[in-house]
Amino acid sequence: RDYIRHTGRESIVRFLRQSLFDMDAAVSSVLGKLKGGSTAVAVFLDKDNAYWASAGDSRLYIYRQGELVQATRDHNYFLRLQELR
């Protein structure tokens, strides 16, 4: 990808978002009409900054001061239904 040639937050965010769409399209093309989906977590480290994107049930944890902290929340239909109750 050409993200290496660019600097700045916007290009990193755009790259991560597009990567998730690309992965989902690849899984969908293999599954065809079968039910299923994709789940992913991607992290981009740039000096003192961390950018991440997540989709589905994959989780990102950050280890800070001896403790694991969940940094993302699940994206799935069941969770959404539970939140609407």
Side-chain angles (χ1 to χ4, degrees), residues 24 36-40 54-59 70 72-85:
D24 186 58
S38 55
T39 179
S54 67
D57 298 344
S58 294
R59 296 178 179 166
Q70 186 174 340
T72 59
R73 57 186 292 242
D74 295 353
H75 304 115
N76 63 49
Y77 189 62
F78 179 76
L79 178 64
R80 181 70 177 132
L81 289 176
Q82 297 295 63
E83 290 174 343
L84 293 174
R85 292 177 106 186

Side-chain angles (χ1 to χ4, degrees), residues 32-65:
K33 294 186 182 221
L34 298 175
K35 294 190 183 231
S38 55
T39 179
V41 171
V43 178
F44 188 98
L45 301 175
D46 178 37
K47 298 179 185 168
D48 293 331
N49 299 303
Y51 304 89
W52 66 79
S54 67
D57 298 344
S58 294
R59 296 178 179 166
L60 173 69
Y61 291 89
I62 297 173
Y63 185 74
R64 182 176 290 151
Q65 297 176 345

